[in-house]
Amino acid sequence: MSSRETQCGLGPWRPKFMQFFASKKVYMLFYGLIGIIKGMQYTYLSAMLSTLERKFGIKSKETAYLMSGNEIAQILFLFFLPLTVKVKKRPFWCGIGMVFTALGLYMMALPHFITGYNQLDTMVKTENKVDLAKQGLCGSNVHLNSLEGACAEDGSRVVDWLGLGIVFLGVAMTGIGNSLFWCFGMVYLDDNSGKDNSPFMLSLTFVFRLIGPTFGYLLGAKCLTTYVYPGEDPGYDESDPRWIGAWWIGFPIIATLLILFSLPLMLFPQRLPKTDTDASRDMKEADNLLSATQKKERDAFLPALKRLLSNKLYVWNFFSSIFYVFAFMGFGTFIPKYIEYQFRIRASRSSGVAGSAGTAA
């Protein structure tokens, strides 16, 4: 049983050729690549905000509610956090979390195929520039620049609630996956690293987190230069206000990459075959415990939480992270849209500028 705990595979399937990959470096490679890909999803969604507002007929305030689905799912996950103490094969559940995230990303692309685009479907193509300027405008003083298919009788926008709900559920599913990824992945890396190497290995994960958002912005810039129906020529380019970029393409691309790299992650053993790690020492201590009472006290969640909250360094770092999120999240989320409207540039270019600024920072 103890040898199986350090062997790659699932269940009784533990092939010999796979045991070569049961190392900290290989795990760090897959975990880092997944961190880069996962970091792309948030900034890609941020780059699509102005396009999503036009597609679903919503305002920036409602877009913020849409983005909050990720945080809401992570907060609800806190109620299940005590159960994670009993999880043994953490890489497997880390990979399951990434599959959840991938399913959520696939779901976020579904409105493109389900609900369509009223403002594009009701548009009449014409070569006359005068007719082109007047075509499709609502007879209302509220939204003079709205197209007829996207307007109600009073001139207000028609909100695509079905598509919006699908995207919100998809964002919430990515939040569940992200919680599993960080709760299990980081702990597994820390437990299987010595005290001397653990800070260095954990710092590498944060480096990977900084690379991913840049690629997300660049992918968003590329997708926005493509028409929402790839292969179809609408007769105008991105400078036209009627242009809607292919906002949906990036979601299945990121989801597919996540699945490709998360499946090997599930095959990692319960602990890596090293003798000088926290995981190996914990196993020795567990074997030396004489009574069930001692084992129960060792795995108790509330006493461990009390000890953690009594650590002043942890508490101050915790509040520092909270203030950092308050200061940065709103800015980081809406910076592509702000650049687009403030400097009157195309959505694809504002996404590229935001990604370049993030890389330089």
Side-chain angles (χ1 to χ4, degrees), residues 191-260:
D191 288 346
N192 289 277
S193 301
K195 291 184 178 180
D196 296 333
N197 295 329
S198 181
F200 174 72
M201 301 301 292
L202 294 177
S203 64
L204 286 180
T205 62
F206 289 99
V207 172
F208 291 134
R209 290 179 64 182
L210 296 177
I211 300 175
T214 302
F215 287 121
Y217 281 126
L218 296 179
L219 177 62
K222 180 62 178 178
C223 291
L224 288 174
T225 58
T226 305
Y227 188 56
V228 68
Y229 294 118
E232 179 179 324
D233 184 12
Y236 48 85
D237 58 13
E238 191 182 353
S239 61
D240 194 290
R242 297 168 297 172
W243 177 273
I244 296 182
W247 60 272
W248 58 275
I249 291 182
F251 295 122
I253 292 177
I254 299 174
T256 303
L257 291 175
L258 280 178
I259 291 179
L260 289 177

Side-chain angles (χ1 to χ4, degrees), residues 97-217:
M98 288 299 92
V99 173
F100 262 95
T101 299
L103 293 177
L105 290 170
Y106 284 127
M107 185 180 296
M108 292 166 66
L110 286 180
H112 168 75
F113 304 96
I114 296 177
T115 59
Y117 303 83
N118 291 331
Q119 66 271 37
L120 296 179
D121 297 337
T122 59
M123 188 181 298
V124 179
K125 294 184 178 181
T126 177
E127 299 296 333
N128 191 315
K129 293 184 178 180
V130 177
D131 294 338
L132 188 64
K134 295 180 179 179
Q135 131 180 319
L137 298 181
C138 296
S140 170
N141 295 324
V142 181
H143 295 287
L144 294 177
N145 293 325
S146 297
L147 294 171
E148 190 70 34
C151 298
E153 295 180 356
D154 59 352
S156 61
R157 281 186 176 270
V158 175
V159 179
D160 181 9
W161 291 110
L162 175 60
L164 201 61
I166 294 174
V167 173
F168 181 83
L169 290 177
V171 174
M173 288 188 66
T174 62
I176 297 174
N178 292 338
S179 299
L180 294 174
F181 179 78
W182 293 117
C183 286
F184 296 135
M186 294 283 284
V187 173
Y188 183 80
L189 181 62
D190 184 43
D191 288 346
N192 289 277
S193 301
K195 291 184 178 180
D196 296 333
N197 295 329
S198 181
F200 174 72
M201 301 301 292
L202 294 177
S203 64
L204 286 180
T205 62
F206 289 99
V207 172
F208 291 134
R209 290 179 64 182
L210 296 177
I211 300 175
T214 302
F215 287 121
Y217 281 126

Side-chain angles (χ1 to χ4, degrees), residues 22-83:
S23 68
K24 183 170 55 179
K25 294 180 180 180
V26 177
Y27 174 80
M28 190 64 201
L29 174 64
F30 280 100
Y31 190 75
L33 289 175
I34 293 175
I36 293 175
I37 300 169
K38 194 186 70 62
M40 295 171 58
Q41 70 181 54
Y42 187 85
T43 52
Y44 178 82
L45 182 60
S46 177
M48 298 294 140
L49 287 183
S50 60
T51 303
L52 291 177
E53 290 175 6
R54 296 173 60 192
K55 193 271 186 251
F56 296 108
I58 57 178
K59 303 176 182 178
S60 296
K61 180 177 69 174
E62 294 159 342
T63 306
Y65 296 151
L66 180 68
M67 300 285 286
S68 66
N70 179 56
E71 283 70 28
I72 292 175
Q74 294 187 30
I75 292 173
L76 294 177
F77 181 77
L78 292 176
F79 295 101
F80 300 94
L81 191 60
L83 300 178

